[in-house]
Amino acid sequence: MGITDKLSHSQHDHDPPDVLGDLMRGTLDHCVKCTICETFCPVANVTPLFPGPKTVGPQAERFRVRGEESQDHSLDYCSGCGVCTQVCPQGVHIAEINTQARAKLKERDGFSLRDRIIARPPLLGRAGTPAAPLVNKTLASRPLRLLGEKLIGVHHAAAVPTFAGRTFQGWAKKHQSPPATRRVAYFHGCGANWYEPVVGEKTVGLLEAIGCQVDVPRGQSCCGLPLQSNGQFDAARRYVRTMAKRLAPAARAGVDILGTSTSCTLMLKREAREILDLMEDPDLKVVSEHMYDICEYLVMLHDRGELALELQPLPMTVTYHAPCQQQGHGIGKPALELMALIPELTVIENDAVCCGVAGTYGIKVEKYEIAANVGRGLFDQIEDARPDLAVCDSETCRWHIEGSTGVRTVHPLEIIHRAAGLSSDAELRAPA
Amino acid sequence: MKPDVVVVGAGLAGLSAAVRLAEAGASVRVLAKGVGSTHLGAGTIDVLGYDADGGRVDRPLEALGGLPAEHPYGLVGRAGVSAAIEWFKGRIADGPRAPYAYVGDAEQNVLLPTAVGAVAPAGVVPETMVGGDLRGGGRVCVVGFRGLKDFFPALVADNLSRGPDGVTARGVELDLRPEGRADPNALAYARAFDDEGFRAEVVAQLVARVAPDELVAFPAVLGLVSPHEVWAEMEHRFGRAVFEIPTLPPSVPGIRVYTTLAQLLTRAGGRVVLNNVITGAERSGDRVRTLRVRVGLREVTYEPEWVVLATGGFSAGGLALDSSWVTHEVALGLPVAGAPAPGNERFGADYFGGQPMDRVGVRTDHEQRPVGEDGGRVVENVLVAGATLAGAAPWREKSGDGIALATGLRAAELITGDAAGHVGDVATAGA
Amino acid sequence: MTTISTEVLVIGGGATGAGVAWDAALRGFDVILVDRADLAEGTSGRFHGLLHSGGRYVVKDPVAADECVAENPILRRVIPDCIEDTGGLFVTTPEDDPAYGDQFLAGCQRAGLPTEEIGVDDALRMEPRLNPGIKRAFTVPDASIDAWKTVWSLARGAAQHGARVLTYHAVVALHKDGDAVTGARVRDELSGEELDIEAGFTLNASGAWAAQIVKLAGIEGIGVIPGKGIMIAMNHRLVNTVINRCTMPADGDILVPIRTVSVIGTTDMREADPDELPVTQAEVDQMLADGERLVPGLLQARALRVWAGVRPLWQDERSGEQATDTRDVSRTHAVVDHSARDGTRGLLTMSGGKLTTLRLMAQDLVDAMCKQQGEDRPCTTADVRPPGNEDGDLYTLGSRLRRREGTQQQEQLICECELIGRTKLEETMRRRGTQNLDDIRRSLRLGMGPCQGGFCIYRAAGILHGTGRLDGAQATASLTSFLSERWHGMWPILYGDQLRQARLDDWIFQGLLGVQHLPPANGDGRVEAPAQETVA
């Protein structure tokens, strides 16, 4: 080989554009049974009810025939955390195979009322917001939660968020973002909309402070991730297509879309396309190409020298847990890089693969104990550190961590917001 | 992050290089498709176990001289191998599992039993294994667990006793299962051993059964988080050498190495990012300027000063043979040496014999830069380390960890400028 | 020298021999079945896995087609557990002449073979990975059939009716008394001892080796052309329907989904010796290319294993037929009556045939024997199910997965790729009474999945050793011989994912375990002191 201008991409493409028809399933051929995925699986490590991602994924898939019933219920114990795919040295899309197989299993077995409800945050949001104080009281009442557990199957001790009683969308409608040269769009997600509008407001505020004009596209609904995780693929696709339609105009105009829910951004960036077989959907494609996790985006700007942010000292100690789905972005831990810019802030990086809740998984009565065991190591680390705050990019993880440790848990964005002088200590520590 | 150095691959070679670089102050990011060889290896650092004729090697540093001309050890020399071993031992001793430590050196091999009852040379080994050094024979009580299908004490004992090394062994099987599991793996047992209640059970069931002159061997499950504590307690309670025998993956000793190196890397400001796949690079002159990486469905680029390519061999996917019988270096398309042309024999009928494809890999010059067929350097700022290198058949020679460690470390030192000049003291055969 | 006697000696333990033993035992004969190796280790264990609808033969070989049409439903009725109803498609690829499809339809009609032409869109919906350029498609009742399950089921059925099945017993001589064959001398390949079998009648069902057997009776002028064909198993089911090219029979024109794999085959090359079946690079490349034509992208899928089987193509100099292309020889079967042809009584040979017609072949052979003996005992195999098929349900791919789901919390999974639990494995080891892991492989598919034994063979050797069947030397031998045997089927198709697997397995067996450095077997092996103590 002589000297060439480009060391181009080698002819051997390990994961070619799929010609075998099944993008995820075809990757099972790469499995060499090395067991690495099983050593990392947080669920298999705490319960024998789940035999492990390799077992229910590439291994069992060879025994599943399109059109024939899927046989193995142990598959349902997969939490969908996605760590297996990340650690697989051979490029098997294990978590994606599992999620697709679970959908087939559910198709056959049918969907419970509980799974239909908890997989539709907008439904819950719309139902709970008007009567928020009453609903919140109910959710805080142990006897009523015990009753709820019996009727619906959501564990009585599972951390559930408090309804804000207002929506972020409502705030955004009234908010005028000052014009600026850099334009971004904000994908707020259900978490910010119904439960944590303050997070959304802070996000907009911070972005404006660094010189962005923030557009909040109207009519944003749910990214469909809970539906996908619960095997309701047709409904999930409808949600995804709707979201994609709402965000596509911004993407087509070349505007980057930022999200504060790291699971939801991952869903639209990658998972929906791979798992729901929507690779070629034109709206979703352009949205996916412009979708960023908020910390990812801020670090990008920082790397380019374009992050115009003055950060004041923040003498506190915080722990940081990168949610499993944040890891799924494959971008490292940009939240840490951002917090490292804040003088006097001590950040303790937690060493845990998953907090256990995995979206809707850990609140289910039959999965709660498992989720608690998965998260135990993380909770111990946080408690031992005795931090002022715990930090985590995903809302369901925050609620789960806070519920289990009692430590107020915030989005990294809120730390930056505080250090930028845009909010006070009290506001930082205030419950959502 | 804009790292100075991108290390591709999170196996022993990649992680060693990354830690060395990060601790020297470089900003390092390790990009890897997934977790590497550590989880599958024995957890020992084998310099050289067998020579070209399959004969046991007793003194590996001396034996390096008998290796073929293009063997990767020729890149680092004896000094490089020794230095790498000492570095590794030092980092482990300094790491989060301290005082868990590795013992031994590159001068002298030990003889350790394998999980099938062979006796094999090993180099630098964890303290939890060194009690199994069978040079000089001995009596061993091999303990297994009915619940652990990846270790068969009776088979180990039977074969050890048959061997020429003066070892007599017998097997004992305990019926203890972590959490009552029906099908636990080595990792489940290792976690159980971290718990003192489980350890007490094990001791209770065994201590009266062990004969006075017997060593006690377990499969490699003596603790994941606190191996030193576990092993020390076992030795104390049994009052004799207790050791663990590496067995089928998942390799608990290997996992200890991985987590130690990954934590050292993070401590030094570096990071491993998984599910990142190198798809190519663009060069500017004789340097790679832009590294292209696929992350999920997106392509991102890095512009590092240096790239360390430690993507492994065929089993790791760093090298690949396609269905047209063409061999590739997967990440950057570097020239591959030693591969038979399509149409020529790649493998032979004898499974245990040498195969034409054995030593295929990327050939480099003495500064670990990849070279083409003419021997000329292909690119200035890419260094190759580990199993991607041509010239070794590590599974036959028992040399994989030594090669990974020594070449990974030297790659790092070539970048930091700390590398000694070409250490040509390995006078390889035919050189 | 021990002598045992029987009424009927069956030589050959493939599908034909097992079928004959079953048939004869059901008719009340006392039977001994011998094979020089394990059952189904010859052609039967190396075939494509296809239960023919007959579609392949309707144009060129109508007699064979008729036989398949008749036998296919019968086998589905009597050995359903060995058969998966995959259905089949005949497709006209871009290289094939679409007009052949009309001949095909006409041939099917004549043979009474149910077929239907469906739209290309429908075919692609059924099988999304099919070549989108196909021009015509026809459905047929093809199915896939597990040869080992079939042969073992028939053998066990025969044994239940009193037959003795002697594997690893090679025929070294045929005994004659005047002009009659009166039995054989066999050698136990495991112990080396020889044994005489007195038999009232001898049925030669040894397929590709049949000519070698008849020579032992001094019969000349008969040959079997070993027609070698290679097949490659791809790691997973690229299709779930049998795919046939709609054209005159050619190489590489069938892709069969059987159990967890899909098998592309086959070639047809005349060889000299049925025991020497080299797999050539050219054949491998050709099969992969043929597969790519049916399922684009197959070249990027994972090839698991390659093997060569041998068709027994009968050649009788006396009849004056000299086939040049082995494909031109009819695939139907015939009973060779040695008393008529050679003046030798007490011996009949089955020539030709295919696995799909095994029951009919057995019926014809045992009928011919009965006729010569003046026995009036009708065949009942069309209506009796041999063991393992009692519930009458056809095999489904998910059955092992379903079974595992039930035992997951109780027992260990030993062969993970093929979902074999410890209980079943130990049961089979006890029942087979074997020291050979390859025998277990044939019974259970141990080590036949993607890792090709990388993880499970160590475990199986340990378990076999632990059940007391093997000492250390024997366990070592069994392990290394399994590895060598498996390598034969791997190295010609070693590329891509399978090469990665092989290298990982090399690390495990050679680097980690060091099996090649185990002390060699040296005679009497067993250790003095008790090898193991179990602490409950």
Side-chain angles (χ1 to χ4, degrees):
Chain A
M1 176 176 163
I3 307 276
T4 58
D5 284 331
K6 276 187 194 276
L7 251 181
S8 58
H9 166 52
S10 77
Q11 289 104 324
H12 175 83
D13 191 337
H14 184 88
D15 278 342
D18 185 74
V19 290
L20 291 180
D22 268 319
L23 185 62
M24 297 293 107
R25 184 167 186 265
T27 66
L28 75 82
D29 265 351
H30 305 323
C31 179
V32 292
K33 307 309 192 105
C34 68
T35 78
I36 284 175
C37 60
E38 305 203 315
T39 62
F40 279 87
C41 174
V43 176
N45 278 329
V46 303
T47 175
L49 290 174
F50 186 56
K54 172 199 70 156
T55 303
V56 304
Q59 185 169 293
E61 192 63 23
R62 293 174 73 242
F63 290 87
R64 296 182 189 126
V65 174
R66 192 195 295 266
E68 204 180 275
E69 301 171 354
S70 187
Q71 303 296 335
D72 46 335
H73 287 84
S74 56
L75 171 56
D76 193 39
Y77 284 98
C78 168
S79 70
C81 74
V83 171
C84 45
T85 296
Q86 290 166 41
V87 300
C88 174
Q90 309 296 349
V92 183
H93 290 281
I94 310 165
E96 291 74 12
I97 290 173
N98 293 353
T99 306
Q100 289 179 333
R102 194 217 312 269
K104 295 208 189 83
L105 184 68
K106 298 284 188 180
E107 256 172 50
R108 180 189 73 174
D109 290 351
F111 308 111
S112 66
L113 181 64
R114 173 196 71 191
D115 290 353
R116 284 181 208 265
I117 295 176
I118 64 178
R120 290 170 166 81
L123 224 93
L124 291 167
R126 276 197 289 273
T129 297
L134 180 61
V135 173
N136 290 334
K137 255 214 183 75
T138 309
L139 292 174
S141 148
R142 190 180 148 85
L144 289 175
R145 286 292 300 272
L146 281 165
L147 183 64
E149 179 181 309
K150 282 217 163 39
L151 291 178
I152 300 184
V154 172
H155 196 279
H156 67 272
V160 293
T162 32
F163 285 82
R166 63 185 180 90
T167 66
F168 173 74
Q169 278 174 356
W171 178 90
K173 276 200 192 96
K174 301 197 216 102
H175 178 83
Q176 195 59 274
S177 191
T181 34
R182 189 196 303 278
R183 290 186 57 199
V184 296
Y186 178 42
F187 163 40
H188 55 73
C190 299
N193 197 42
W194 310 104
Y195 308 108
E196 298 177 327
V198 172
V199 172
E201 293 162 28
K202 286 182 177 175
T203 303
V204 173
L206 180 66
L207 287 168
E208 288 171 353
I210 63 170
C212 298
Q213 178 180 344
V214 185
D215 177 40
V216 182
R218 298 285 174 85
Q220 289 181 45
S221 184
C222 175
C223 69
L225 177 59
L227 282 166
Q228 176 184 275
S229 308
N230 281 282
Q232 298 162 56
F233 276 18
D234 289 335
R237 287 189 188 100
R238 283 197 296 273
Y239 274 43
V240 169
R241 288 199 175 101
T242 304
M243 265 314 301
K245 242 200 281 285
R246 300 281 180 268
L247 298 177
R252 291 206 170 90
V255 171
D256 290 326
I257 307 168
L258 316 181
T260 40
S261 171
T262 197
S263 336
C264 306
T265 47
L266 184 65
M267 176 66 175
L268 296 182
K269 207 198 235 190
R270 172 169 74 75
E271 288 197 359
R273 294 182 71 193
E274 287 180 339
I275 295 174
L276 299 179
D277 222 349
L278 293 173
M279 223 28 154
E280 298 309 317
D281 181 285
D283 284 341
L284 183 58
K285 189 160 189 275
V286 71
V287 165
S288 140
E289 286 161 0
H290 287 83
M291 178 65 65
Y292 293 90
D293 168 81
I294 182 78
C295 294
E296 177 187 14
Y297 188 76
L298 293 174
V299 167
M300 248 172 60
L301 292 185
H302 176 68
D303 283 347
R304 288 192 233 152
E306 294 169 13
L307 186 63
L309 200 54
E310 281 220 14
L311 296 169
Q312 303 160 6
L314 197 56
M316 44 167 69
T317 299
V318 303
T319 57
Y320 174 68
H321 168 64
C324 53
Q325 299 225 290
Q326 189 279 338
Q327 302 276 288
H329 281 261
I331 54 180
K333 299 186 183 179
L336 284 177
E337 293 178 52
L338 290 172
M339 289 193 287
L341 301 171
I342 300 173
E344 295 182 40
L345 178 66
T346 303
V347 182
I348 299 170
E349 182 182 351
N350 291 129
D351 182 14
V353 147
C354 176
C355 74
V357 75
T360 56
Y361 181 88
I363 68 173
K364 298 175 181 175
V365 63
E366 75 278 11
K367 312 276 192 349
Y368 179 81
E369 282 299 325
I370 295 173
N373 287 332
V374 168
R376 187 167 316 281
L378 172 63
F379 305 149
D380 287 346
Q381 286 175 34
I382 293 174
E383 284 165 3
D384 289 345
R386 297 152 82 76
D388 295 294
L389 295 167
V391 180
C392 183
D393 318 59
S394 158
E395 67 274 15
T396 49
C397 303
R398 284 199 293 279
W399 304 330
H400 188 61
I401 290 171
E402 193 164 320
S404 306
T405 63
V407 176
R408 173 88 186 98
T409 311
V410 300
H411 192 290
L413 194 283
E414 299 184 70
I415 302 283
I416 316 286
H417 191 267
R418 167 75 188 93
L422 299 169
S423 48
S424 67
D425 262 0
E427 284 167 327
L428 176 59
R429 294 165 192 261
Chain B
M1 185 204 198
K2 299 203 308 182
D4 298 330
V5 187
V6 167
V7 174
V8 187
L12 187 60
L15 287 177
S16 306
V19 172
R20 181 71 178 84
L21 285 161
E23 289 181 343
S27 71
V28 185
R29 182 164 272 204
V30 177
L31 301 179
K33 176 181 279 179
V35 165
S37 59
T38 45
H39 285 55
L40 308 174
T44 56
I45 307 295
D46 294 327
V47 174
L48 190 65
Y50 295 97
D51 61 29
D53 303 313
R56 267 187 206 165
V57 167
D58 186 46
R59 298 187 64 76
L61 275 192
E62 279 171 28
L64 292 193
L67 291 171
E70 258 120 33
H71 197 280
Y73 279 139
L75 299 172
V76 296
R78 291 196 176 90
V81 173
S82 292
I85 298 288
E86 292 312 307
W87 177 88
F88 179 81
K89 284 161 62 179
R91 300 327 291 122
I92 299 290
D94 230 357
R97 280 176 178 70
Y100 178 64
Y102 272 65
V103 299
D105 56 48
E107 304 273 357
Q108 175 68 50
N109 276 338
V110 295
L111 275 186
L112 295 184
T114 74
V116 80
V119 173
V124 174
V125 308
E127 60 187 7
T128 51
M129 291 186 197
V130 75
D133 186 0
L134 296 173
R135 288 176 295 165
R139 299 178 65 84
V140 185
C141 175
V142 183
V143 183
F145 297 91
R146 171 105 187 135
L148 182 62
K149 67 197 179 197
D150 290 327
F151 188 76
F152 291 89
L155 180 60
V156 174
D158 208 332
N159 276 329
L160 281 178
S161 302
R162 280 195 313 122
D165 297 289
V167 179
T168 316
R170 66 187 176 99
V172 172
E173 196 179 62
L174 303 184
D175 199 3
L176 288 171
R177 290 160 187 270
E179 302 158 339
R181 285 182 183 237
D183 197 2
N185 62 10
L187 195 56
Y189 274 96
R191 288 209 174 89
F193 265 93
D194 276 329
D195 171 61
E196 61 180 352
F198 184 82
R199 292 199 295 274
E201 273 289 324
V202 171
V203 171
Q205 288 195 19
L206 264 183
V207 74
R209 309 190 117 83
V210 194
D213 58 347
E214 277 182 327
L215 309 176
V216 177
F218 287 97
V221 294
L222 294 182
L224 178 68
V225 173
S226 321
H228 178 84
E229 191 187 310
V230 172
W231 165 72
E233 183 186 315
M234 290 284 122
E235 289 213 326
H236 174 71
R237 304 278 229 116
F238 285 103
R240 72 199 63 211
V242 173
F243 61 98
E244 56 183 3
I245 298 176
T247 187
L248 255 46
S251 164
V252 171
I255 294 173
R256 298 174 198 145
V257 171
Y258 177 84
T259 47
T260 299
L261 291 179
Q263 281 173 29
L264 289 172
L265 179 63
T266 308
R267 257 196 225 168
R271 186 160 298 282
V272 178
V273 185
L274 297 177
N275 220 0
N276 276 225
V277 179
I278 309 299
T279 53
E282 279 164 28
R283 63 197 295 161
S284 160
D286 56 6
R287 299 177 69 78
V288 158
R289 195 191 57 199
T290 309
L291 202 59
R292 295 204 309 269
V293 184
R294 190 177 71 237
V295 182
L297 297 175
R298 185 172 293 177
E299 189 178 86
V300 302
T301 56
Y302 286 84
E303 297 194 348
E305 286 294 304
W306 300 96
V307 177
V308 176
L309 189 71
T311 45
F314 286 96
S315 65
L319 300 170
L321 178 66
D322 67 26
S323 56
S324 315
W325 317 113
V326 178
T327 305
H328 305 268
E329 183 278 306
V330 175
L332 297 175
L334 296 174
V336 173
N344 290 358
E345 280 195 0
R346 293 171 301 282
F347 300 100
D350 176 15
Y351 175 64
F352 292 103
Q355 314 279 349
M357 283 290 285
D358 276 355
R359 295 172 192 276
V360 170
V362 175
R363 198 170 287 152
T364 70
D365 61 21
H366 280 99
E367 293 187 321
Q368 290 178 238
R369 309 311 204 270
V371 299
E373 258 175 51
D374 58 358
R377 201 177 263 204
V378 168
V379 64
E380 278 300 317
N381 61 341
V382 174
L383 288 83
V384 186
T388 316
L389 292 166
W395 63 94
R396 271 195 239 291
E397 311 163 345
K398 276 202 109 194
S399 60
D401 321 276
I403 293 171
L405 186 58
T407 57
L409 215 57
R410 183 165 165 81
E413 290 171 351
L414 284 164
I415 291 171
T416 61
D418 294 333
H422 166 49
V423 269
D425 63 350
V426 176
T428 52
Chain C
M1 171 81 49
T2 321
T3 303
I4 53 178
S5 34
T6 185
E7 293 180 288
V8 182
L9 170 63
V10 181
I11 301 177
T16 311
V20 169
W22 165 242
D23 189 331
L26 276 182
R27 300 195 209 198
F29 288 104
D30 185 73
V31 178
I32 292 180
L33 170 67
V34 298
D35 192 295
R36 65 178 185 170
D38 192 12
L39 294 189
E41 209 183 305
T43 304
S44 302
R46 294 155 199 270
F47 95 122
H48 209 150
L50 177 55
L51 183 70
H52 281 279
S53 58
R56 183 180 180 74
Y57 304 111
V58 288
V59 175
K60 199 178 165 194
D61 195 344
V63 175
D66 290 345
E67 288 173 352
C68 293
V69 169
E71 288 296 308
N72 185 313
I74 296 176
L75 287 185
R76 285 172 188 244
R77 195 172 61 233
V78 295
I79 48 167
D81 193 55
C82 307
I83 294 171
E84 182 184 341
D85 184 18
T86 58
L89 280 174
F90 273 77
V91 299
T92 307
T93 71
E95 275 130 27
D96 301 321
D97 177 10
Y100 183 85
D102 299 325
Q103 289 182 280
F104 174 79
L105 279 174
C108 287
Q109 182 154 66
R110 184 212 58 78
L113 198 172
T115 181
E116 190 196 329
E117 178 158 17
I118 62 175
V120 166
D121 285 342
D122 289 331
L124 291 174
R125 211 167 301 131
M126 243 173 97
E127 288 298 344
R129 295 186 191 173
L130 265 184
N131 186 337
I134 58 172
K135 290 172 286 187
R136 296 179 81 173
F138 307 86
T139 60
V140 290
D142 278 338
S144 64
I145 177 168
D146 184 328
W148 287 302
K149 242 195 187 183
T150 301
V151 170
W152 277 100
S153 173
L154 296 169
R156 279 166 56 204
Q160 277 177 9
H161 282 82
R164 283 163 283 181
V165 176
L166 304 176
T167 55
Y168 293 102
H169 282 69
V171 170
V172 297
L174 285 179
H175 294 316
K176 284 181 82 169
D177 185 4
D179 63 353
V181 169
T182 56
R185 173 163 299 174
V186 298
R187 179 179 58 237
D188 180 340
E189 300 285 35
L190 298 179
S191 69
E193 283 173 22
E194 294 190 345
L195 161 70
D196 271 331
I197 303 178
E198 283 175 358
F201 214 101
T202 300
L203 296 175
N204 178 12
S206 50
W209 294 264
Q212 294 175 16
I213 296 293
V214 301
K215 270 208 184 62
L216 295 174
I219 292 171
E220 295 297 329
I222 284 178
V224 175
I225 311 170
K228 176 195 70 174
I230 74 154
M231 278 146 284
I232 298 176
M234 305 304 290
N235 181 48
H236 69 282
R237 306 242 300 206
L238 301 172
V239 293
N240 291 300
T241 314
V242 177
I243 307 295
N244 305 264
R245 267 178 68 197
C246 191
T247 181
M248 292 292 257
D251 285 354
D253 56 353
I254 314 182
L255 182 62
V256 179
I258 167 132
R259 305 292 291 247
T260 45
V261 301
S262 11
V263 179
I264 179 72
T266 180
T267 54
D268 200 336
M269 289 183 57
R270 187 191 283 241
E271 293 291 337
D273 179 352
D275 287 318
E276 283 292 320
L277 304 173
V279 172
T280 64
Q281 189 63 69
E283 288 175 286
V284 168
D285 289 339
Q286 187 193 339
M287 280 304 95
L288 293 175
D290 288 339
E292 178 81 11
R293 193 181 302 129
L294 292 175
V295 171
L298 183 137
L299 283 171
Q300 280 138 337
R302 178 169 173 172
L304 210 56
R305 196 174 171 117
V306 64
W307 65 93
V310 57
R311 303 170 191 79
L313 300 166
W314 196 253
Q315 193 169 49
D316 187 342
E317 286 165 16
R318 300 233 184 109
S319 72
E321 287 165 18
Q322 297 287 337
T324 45
D325 183 344
T326 54
R327 239 184 247 296
D328 288 337
V329 177
S330 172
R331 293 309 169 88
T332 187
H333 60 278
V335 174
V336 181
D337 180 356
H338 293 291
S339 72
R341 184 190 184 275
D342 308 296
T344 301
R345 293 177 295 120
L347 175 69
L348 291 172
T349 295
M350 171 52 65
S351 71
K354 55 190 341 67
L355 198 134
T356 300
T357 56
L358 73 98
R359 192 211 63 82
L360 181 61
M361 289 157 67
Q363 176 177 312
D364 288 349
L365 195 61
V366 180
D367 279 350
M369 174 183 80
C370 286
K371 187 143 179 251
Q372 288 195 1
Q373 291 184 319
E375 290 276 0
D376 178 24
R377 306 195 202 188
C379 173
T380 57
T381 56
D383 300 299
V384 183
R385 292 197 181 120
N389 296 280
E390 292 84 356
D391 60 17
D393 292 329
L394 290 167
Y395 174 81
T396 54
L397 178 63
S399 63
R400 273 199 183 174
L401 193 58
R402 191 185 317 121
R403 195 189 317 144
R404 175 59 191 165
E405 178 78 351
T407 61
Q408 188 194 311
Q409 302 302 323
Q410 281 83 45
E411 66 157 3
Q412 296 168 331
L413 192 60
I414 301 301
C415 172
E416 297 176 63
C417 300
E418 293 293 320
L419 297 182
I420 303 171
R422 187 157 185 160
T423 309
K424 181 91 181 167
L425 181 65
E426 289 178 338
E427 215 172 77
T428 304
M429 285 172 173
R430 271 192 304 271
R431 185 167 46 82
R432 291 290 314 257
T434 181
Q435 293 185 352
N436 183 340
L437 285 172
D438 272 304
D439 286 345
I440 305 296
R441 172 175 68 81
R442 280 181 283 269
S443 291
L444 291 176
R445 299 179 68 85
L446 178 74
M448 289 189 63
C451 86
Q452 291 287 295
F455 287 78
C456 64
I457 287 311
Y458 165 74
R459 296 173 186 153
I463 292 171
L464 201 52
H465 175 270
T467 56
R469 299 224 145 268
L470 303 178
D471 61 25
Q474 290 160 340
T476 299
S478 194
L479 191 51
T480 51
S481 98
F482 186 96
L483 293 174
S484 297
E485 170 63 32
R486 134 210 212 257
W487 181 243
H488 288 316
M490 274 180 87
W491 70 260
I493 47 84
L494 211 51
Y495 63 88
D497 290 312
Q498 202 56 27
L499 175 56
R500 267 200 296 208
Q501 181 74 67
R503 280 290 163 85
L504 174 61
D505 295 349
D506 288 346
W507 157 250
I508 291 173
F509 287 112
Q510 297 182 36
L512 182 67
L513 297 177
V515 299
Q516 72 277 31
H517 298 292
L518 280 167
N522 56 353
D524 59 307
R526 202 167 269 287
V527 178
E528 288 302 330
Q532 165 143 311
E533 186 192 326
T534 304
V535 181

